[in-house]
Amino acid sequence: MDVGGQASLFATGGVAPAYRHELSGGAWVDVAVGWAPDADELFALLRATVPFRGHRRRMYDRVVDEPRLTHRWVLPDDAVPHRLRDMGRTLGERYGHDFTQIGVNLYRDGADGVAWHGDRVARERPEAVVALVALGATRPLRLRPTGGGASVSFPLASGDLLVMGGTCQRTWQHSVPKVARSGPRISVQFRHLYPGMPPGGRPT
C-alpha cells in the first residue's frame, strides 16, 4: 500500500520533523527519523537495568510463551528512567495527552516478534494515541486494515519515532514480524490513560 506523507510542525532541536501518513478510516501515523539522538546510550541503559520478563498467553486451545520480553511502568513511579520521563513529557505536549504508561519490549533476535493486533483497551475507544521509539536493530513495523488487506511497512531504525493516532488501534492492526536474522531491539511505548481503563491495566 502506498501511503503519502505530509510534514507536520513536530520537531525537536536539530532533528527532522515528523511526517504524517494518513491511513483509511480516520487512522494516521506520524514518523520522525532520528527523533532520539541518544538512542545507542539509551538502548544500553535499558538493556542493562530493566528487569525484562516473559509472559504467556492463550492462543486458540493452548497457552504459549510470548516471543519477546517486556516491562512496564505506570506513572508516578520513581523507577522510570529520567530520559523516558522526558520523552513522555515532550510527546504529551505535542499530542495533548498525559502519557502515564511506559512500556518496553525486548526483541532478543529475529525469532522474537509480535503478531497482528491492536491495543486491547484502545480498540474500544473512538480514538487513541500510542507512541513508539525504536532502539537497537532496525526492524519493520507493519500495519494493515483490521480484518486483513494490503499492509504498509515502516522500517524503524534506532532512534526513530512512530506515533499511531486517530482510529488506528480500532481500524488497523500492527505487527513486528519475525525475521531470519536481527540483533536485539527495544521498543519503548508511551500510552495515555483511557476512560474506563484501570491505571495498572495491561494495555495489550
Side-chain angles (χ1 to χ4, degrees):
M1 176 179 289
D2 183 18
V3 180
Q6 179 180 356
S8 75
L9 298 177
F10 183 41
T12 57
V15 180
Y19 285 83
R20 173 68 51 93
H21 302 263
E22 298 288 353
L23 306 176
S24 63
W28 53 262
V29 171
D30 282 353
V31 177
V33 174
W35 185 78
D38 58 341
D40 291 345
E41 293 84 354
L42 184 55
F43 175 88
L45 172 67
L46 297 178
R47 188 72 180 89
T49 61
V50 173
F52 289 104
R53 67 185 184 92
H55 295 276
R56 309 203 78 201
R57 61 173 176 160
R58 178 167 294 280
M59 179 176 287
Y60 304 110
D61 60 346
R62 59 198 178 104
V63 177
V64 299
D65 292 327
E66 289 187 358
R68 61 179 180 174
L69 304 179
T70 67
H71 185 72
R72 186 171 53 88
W73 300 277
V74 179
L75 297 176
D77 186 333
D78 292 339
V80 179
H82 291 295
R83 182 68 177 103
L84 299 189
R85 290 178 183 270
D86 292 342
M87 284 180 168
R89 189 177 304 110
T90 299
L91 292 167
E93 292 171 354
R94 168 62 180 89
Y95 291 100
H97 292 288
D98 290 330
F99 288 97
T100 58
Q101 303 206 15
I102 303 176
V104 283
N105 298 326
L106 172 62
Y107 300 85
R108 294 158 289 187
D109 52 34
D112 280 353
V114 63
W116 292 110
H117 71 287
D119 279 14
R120 185 173 63 228
V121 178
R123 288 199 303 262
E124 303 171 1
R125 306 301 308 166
E127 296 189 348
V129 176
V130 178
L132 313 174
V133 177
L135 306 171
T138 298
R139 294 282 294 270
L141 185 142
R142 293 180 180 170
L143 292 103
R144 72 176 184 185
T146 298
S151 65
V152 58
S153 183
F154 296 94
L156 300 179
S158 193
D160 291 353
L161 167 72
L162 183 143
V163 182
M164 295 176 283
T167 66
C168 198
Q169 300 302 320
R170 182 166 55 84
T171 62
W172 285 68
Q173 296 176 314
H174 56 279
S175 73
V176 177
K178 298 179 181 181
V179 295
R181 293 182 180 180
S182 176
R185 170 186 186 265
I186 293 175
S187 173
V188 185
Q189 304 177 341
F190 300 86
R191 296 179 175 88
H192 56 91
L193 187 65
Y194 317 119
M197 179 180 178
R202 194 172 177 217
T204 60

